[in-house]
Amino acid sequence: MKPLKVAREQQIAVFGESGSGKTVLLSSFYGTAQEPVVADEGLYDIVANDAAQGLRLHQNYLGMKNTGTTPLQTRLSGNRYVFSIKRRGGPVGKSKKPAAEELRLIWHDYPGEWFEEDPATEKEQRLRVETFRSLLGSDVAVLLVDGQRLLDHTGEEERYLKALVTNYRAHLSRLQEELMPDGKRLVRFPRIWLFGLSKADLLPAMDATAFRDLLVEKVGQEIAHLQEELAGFIEEPEAFSLGEDFVLLSSARFEPGKIDVGKQVGVRLILPMAAVLPFSRHVRWAKALRNGSKVANDLMRSAGPLLALIVAKLKLPGPLKLVTVALPFIFDTVFEHSREKIQDVHDAAVAKHDFLTAVLTGFELELRQAVEDRVLQKSVK
């Protein structure tokens, strides 16, 4: 049997210090998707390709939901989780062919202890480098800021934030030499780095704009230094953003003896951010870079299939969609469409059982709503 065709694969890397909530976030993301009420409402199922991983994540989630038990922290083990986003109900319409696996999310979980502890052995150092190398295919990376730690440092937030950003920078600097032994910069590298406020439920008065403003005020210079450090990894560093996107993330509401997993913020944005957020940035950057550069070609290989899909479904004038090479130059026209137009395309795709279009336009609508709700602050570039 031939493997199922994947029309769109996206990778996301999540970084955070020990205890910042990475395991809880991942468990909530997967466990919530298994709830019957959530599954019945959606167009797709989220399936863990590794059954054992999926069982463990679901168990973590049920422990939080039913007994108020938080998952055990994972230590010193970089993990890669692969999720298939499969259309619900199998084949649709008149087709008798098996439904293709049309979306896939690869989630890289980078151990928090590695930002806080030096490697004990050469073997552990090699593991760190290999783990980081494995996530270089990600387009999106999330740097977590721990809401509990912010709360603990009320009035002196810069003490925590400066240490956090400095730790991120120092660790990545140590990896750079081993990832680039010949000094040759990388073409494939996460080029969109968001800051995510984990445990955002502990700071209910803080929206995404206030989160951004706090970081800029307290550690703007440190973020600029981190940006310089990461830009040093890559060819064409102008095709890179850090500190331009901010998201609130709360896996549940934690109360004494109880965890309310029905109270979440931003968890449902993981898929839309991974699948759609890179698209707009990649096309803009590809347009701005010199024609034929390795980076421009790589960016368009990533964005091209989705761009072609959206162009077709939005029914742009014929001349605008005749030549594939022209696709980067019509991007602005595509996304000048209003929410109402995108909603119309989404509704029509649902009615026609056009799975990929329905899901991706749904993701775009979710991102727009998150911006309105001030859960997400997107780059204006």
Side-chain angles (χ1 to χ4, degrees):
M1 181 179 293
K2 293 183 179 180
L4 294 174
K5 179 182 179 182
V6 179
R8 175 72 177 165
E9 177 179 285
Q10 187 56 54
Q11 302 185 45
I12 189 167
V14 181
F15 299 89
E17 292 183 313
S18 176
S20 60
K22 298 190 307 300
T23 302
V24 174
L25 178 64
L26 178 58
S27 300
S28 291
F29 165 79
Y30 185 71
T32 300
Q34 311 313 308
E35 291 280 15
V37 64
V38 174
D40 291 344
E41 291 175 353
L43 297 170
Y44 53 83
D45 295 309
I46 298 178
V47 180
N49 286 26
D50 184 316
Q53 283 185 339
L55 186 63
R56 185 163 56 251
L57 294 175
H58 198 191
Q59 183 180 29
N60 288 344
Y61 172 81
L62 292 174
M64 291 190 289
K65 175 184 176 182
N66 296 329
T67 63
T69 305
T70 56
L72 294 175
Q73 290 187 20
T74 55
R75 286 187 57 83
L76 303 180
S77 58
N79 286 312
R80 177 179 182 267
Y81 299 84
V82 182
F83 302 102
S84 294
I85 316 304
K86 297 187 175 183
R87 92 172 64 211
R88 179 159 299 120
V92 297
K94 298 180 180 180
S95 174
K96 298 192 181 295
K97 296 180 180 179
E101 177 193 320
E102 291 173 287
L103 289 167
R104 181 186 291 172
L105 174 70
I106 300 177
W107 182 313
H108 299 273
D109 183 11
Y110 197 80
E113 292 78 14
W114 288 354
F115 291 103
E116 305 161 19
E117 304 170 5
D118 291 331
T121 63
E122 290 186 8
K123 181 179 179 181
E124 185 181 319
Q125 176 62 16
R126 287 196 301 271
L127 178 60
R128 295 185 184 198
V129 174
E130 290 167 4
T131 300
F132 195 86
R133 187 176 285 118
S134 73
L135 59 77
L136 293 180
S138 302
D139 292 319
V140 176
V142 181
L143 295 169
L144 293 182
V145 175
D146 190 334
Q148 180 64 65
R149 298 286 301 278
L150 274 182
L151 193 61
D152 293 342
H153 289 81
T154 300
E156 51 179 16
E157 293 88 353
E158 64 274 10
R159 289 184 58 192
Y160 161 61
L161 292 172
K162 285 185 178 182
L164 175 70
V165 178
T166 300
N167 280 348
Y168 280 143
R169 182 187 175 198
H171 181 72
L172 293 168
S173 178
R174 287 192 292 269
L175 290 173
Q176 186 180 39
E177 184 175 344
E178 296 201 44
L179 286 168
M180 302 162 52
D182 57 358
K184 187 176 181 180
R185 294 191 176 199
L186 306 172
V187 173
R188 288 296 295 153
F189 190 80
R191 290 180 178 267
I192 300 173
W193 292 67
L194 301 91
F195 280 102
L197 176 62
S198 68
K199 309 174 190 175
D201 56 294
L202 298 175
L203 299 162
M206 183 171 290
D207 61 19
T209 303
F211 176 47
R212 176 201 65 186
D213 292 349
L214 176 68
L215 292 182
V216 171
E217 178 187 359
K218 302 296 185 181
V219 287
Q221 184 174 5
E222 287 77 11
I223 290 173
H225 290 158
L226 177 59
Q227 184 179 38
E228 292 172 5
E229 190 73 46
L230 285 167
F233 279 80
I234 51 178
E235 286 193 26
E236 310 280 11
E238 58 268 36
F240 172 78
S241 69
L242 179 145
E244 299 177 19
D245 303 270
F246 304 82
V247 63
L248 306 185
L249 298 166
S250 177
S251 305
R253 178 174 292 172
F254 289 76
E255 301 172 1
K258 179 184 177 182
I259 301 175
D260 188 350
V261 295
K263 303 292 185 180
Q264 296 180 347
V265 177
V267 177
R268 290 177 61 94
L269 296 178
I270 297 294
L271 263 175
M273 288 191 304
V276 176
L277 191 59
F279 169 60
S280 58
R281 225 66 58 86
H282 283 195
V283 178
R284 287 195 188 101
W285 288 334
K287 288 169 58 177
L289 295 175
R290 65 183 185 277
N291 187 37
S293 76
K294 290 181 181 179
V295 174
N297 290 338
D298 186 70
L299 293 173
M300 284 313 301
R301 273 197 300 271
S302 172
L306 180 54
L307 182 61
L309 172 73
I310 292 177
V311 169
K313 300 305 177 181
L314 289 178
K315 296 181 172 59
L316 296 178
L320 289 179
K321 54 185 180 182
L322 288 178
V323 185
T324 302
V325 73
L327 290 176
F329 301 96
I330 63 173
F331 165 75
D332 294 330
T333 304
V334 172
F335 272 84
E336 283 173 2
H337 283 287
S338 65
R339 174 198 288 267
E340 289 73 22
K341 177 63 175 176
I342 301 294
Q343 184 70 58
D344 287 345
V345 174
H346 175 73
D347 292 343
V350 171
K352 295 176 181 177
H353 304 288
D354 184 346
F355 174 73
L356 196 56
T357 305
V359 170
L360 293 173
T361 52
F363 286 168
E364 171 64 17
L365 291 169
E366 287 186 64
L367 292 180
R368 293 189 183 198
Q369 187 61 52
V371 171
E372 286 191 16
D373 295 340
R374 296 195 176 185
V375 172
L376 174 67
Q377 177 75 40
K378 289 174 61 179
S379 171
V380 297
K381 294 182 181 178

